[in-house]
Each structure stands twice: as structure tokens, then as C-alpha cells.
Amino acid sequence: SAGHTYGSSGCSTPIKTSPLDAPSDEESSLSEKSGDPILFDDIYTRLMQEAGETSNSEELNHQHFADLLEQQSNRELLQMRKSNALSHYLMNPDFQYTVAKEMIHGHEFDWEEMGFPVFRGYNTELADILDEKFRVIQSLTYNTMGKRANVDTTKLRESVWYFTQQLLGVYFTDFDYGLVKSMLPDNFKDYISVTVLTPEKLQEDNFRFTGFTYSEKVHFSLIMMESRFQATFCYGLKALD
């Protein structure tokens, strides 16, 4: 949950991959040729500027949350008329997810405090597996960005995780949503929105990041996927409440 060190089991130490998993020169070189509008230098600069920043007041934080939803909803309207290559395979091609207009308070239906204990009452083994899965993907890092080493990417990973849940209407009072506004460029937020809400509309252009390695692109996708998965538990717990 947002009130704990980034990791659903309260894990405070980032999990590091082995040196074999570190980005290769070939990966970095190839990804830099993509020419994608999501620029590495832009995000890296934002990350460095955010180091040591303090959180906003709860009132201002709530305003940041509302502003982000309104902005993303408006940007979605501009994307709605894009052609969908899969539409002729769908029974209802006009159906689509939209950015949540209402919200639930994530701390009231938190996975760690409520979801895990409830789920464990039904299936202990599966609950432990899910908890470990959430913990690993949230804390996974080798402290690099592209070819840069010794980079603390926590705030970037947090921004992707909580913006994903925000799109689904899950709000945490103790997470600074101003961080999302300052960390993620609009085109990155668009990429997250399409991936989370309408993955069938993903195109090659959505997945081009200048300067990021292939493994970092996959890492972003895994964060979004698991964050979305955890958000569904919030709604399931709300239904049981």
C-alpha cells in the first residue's frame, strides 16, 4: 500500500537482479535508435529533480489526483477515434474502458492489511504466492536507467504503479500524486492508459522509448500489469465489505 515502503509486504530493500540481467550495450544501443517520443533524458531529468522533494498537503494531493484524472480523460477523447485493427474480431467493438470517474480509497481495501488476510483464509498457498509476486515486482530493480548506473528509480516505479491504479479509480491519501504529474510526461501517461485500459489498441508506436533498454520496457509493463491486478482486489474487497 502507499503508506508502506514501496512493496506490498513492507519490503524495504529493493530486490536486485544478477549481473546477467543488467542491460547490455546492445540493448541500450538498439533502443536508442527507436526514435520514440517518450524520451529517456526527459524522464531521467525529472527523476533527478524529484530527489528529496517533500509531499504535498492532503488537500493539494487530492487536487493533483482530480487534475490527473480530468487531464487523462480529455486526452482519451482525442484517442477514441483511432482505428482498432482488432475491431472486426470483436462482438462489441465499441466497448471500451474509460478513466474512472469515481474513486475508492485504497487504504480501506488495501492488499496487505485486508486483502492478504482475507484471501489467506480461503487459500493460504495462493495468497502467499500472490503476496510474493506483488512484493517482487514492486521492489525489482538493478538501479540503472539505460546506460546510467547507480540510479534510484523508486519514484519512477511508484509513479507508474500508482498512476495505473489511479486510472482504475483507486486513491491513496498517503501517496503524493504531484509526483505523477512531475515524473511522467503526457505521452508516457498515454502509454500507461492504453496499456491498462485498452491493451488491444496498443501499436508499435506506443512501445518506443528512446534510451531505455528492452528489459526496462518489459519492467514497465510488468509494473502496470501487477498494479492493475492488485486494483481488482480492491474492488473485490469493496464488494465483500
Side-chain angles (χ1 to χ4, degrees):
S1 68
H4 296 79
T5 301
Y6 190 50
S8 63
S9 295
C11 176
S12 59
T13 303
I15 296 175
K16 298 183 179 181
T17 58
S18 70
L20 293 177
D21 293 323
S24 65
D25 289 340
E26 181 182 6
E27 274 189 303
S28 297
S29 176
L30 288 172
S31 60
E32 287 176 350
K33 297 176 182 178
S34 63
D36 189 85
I38 300 179
L39 303 177
F40 171 87
D41 287 340
D42 182 15
I43 296 176
Y44 180 78
T45 300
R46 289 165 182 256
L47 182 61
M48 294 300 99
Q49 290 174 342
E50 282 298 323
E53 291 291 327
T54 57
S55 298
N56 297 302
S57 67
E58 183 174 341
E59 181 179 356
L60 182 57
N61 195 38
H62 190 279
Q63 186 60 51
H64 283 320
F65 182 93
D67 290 345
L68 281 166
L69 284 186
E70 180 179 5
Q71 179 194 46
Q72 204 59 34
S73 295
N74 292 337
R75 293 180 68 83
E76 266 198 359
L77 293 176
L78 300 176
Q79 303 293 327
M80 283 177 61
R81 295 186 178 180
K82 284 191 174 182
S83 61
N84 180 3
L86 300 178
S87 61
H88 57 288
Y89 295 110
L90 305 176
M91 294 181 63
N92 185 6
D94 294 327
F95 173 81
Q96 63 181 18
Y97 287 98
T98 58
V99 173
K101 300 299 188 295
E102 298 180 0
M103 64 182 181
I104 64 173
H105 292 280
H107 65 277
E108 296 179 2
F109 307 101
D110 175 57
W111 165 257
E112 182 181 351
E113 300 296 334
M114 184 177 179
F116 178 65
V118 169
F119 203 82
R120 210 166 190 268
Y122 292 96
N123 191 318
T124 301
E125 182 179 4
L126 184 55
D128 289 340
I129 291 173
L130 290 174
D131 189 62
E132 177 70 6
K133 184 163 69 90
F134 290 143
R135 185 184 69 84
V136 168
I137 193 58
Q138 286 182 286
S139 55
L140 181 67
T141 182
Y142 33 66
N143 294 319
T144 61
M145 277 185 67
K147 292 184 177 182
R148 298 179 186 267
N150 302 316
V151 180
D152 183 359
T153 61
T154 301
K155 289 188 175 182
L156 175 57
R157 291 181 284 116
E158 285 183 341
S159 297
V160 174
W161 179 274
Y162 288 108
F163 182 62
T164 295
Q165 296 200 351
Q166 178 182 6
L167 292 172
L168 299 167
V170 180
Y171 172 68
F172 291 92
T173 57
D174 46 2
F175 175 71
D176 180 7
Y177 288 93
L179 182 64
V180 175
K181 294 181 70 174
S182 59
M183 271 298 310
L184 304 180
D186 287 342
N187 49 6
F188 199 168
K189 291 198 287 284
D190 289 343
Y191 164 64
I192 296 173
S193 181
V194 174
T195 303
V196 171
L197 301 178
T198 54
E200 74 279 2
K201 294 184 179 179
L202 277 172
Q203 301 179 12
E204 183 181 358
D205 288 345
N206 297 122
F207 202 63
R208 289 177 178 170
F209 293 73
T210 297
F212 288 100
T213 67
Y214 292 139
S215 59
E216 286 170 337
K217 298 174 191 177
V218 172
H219 191 181
F220 287 137
S221 297
L222 288 173
I223 292 174
M224 288 180 263
M225 180 178 69
E226 294 304 325
S227 179
R228 188 184 192 283
F229 185 36
Q230 194 177 93
T232 63
F233 277 102
C234 289
Y235 282 96
L237 292 167
K238 184 176 186 294
L240 293 173
D241 186 46

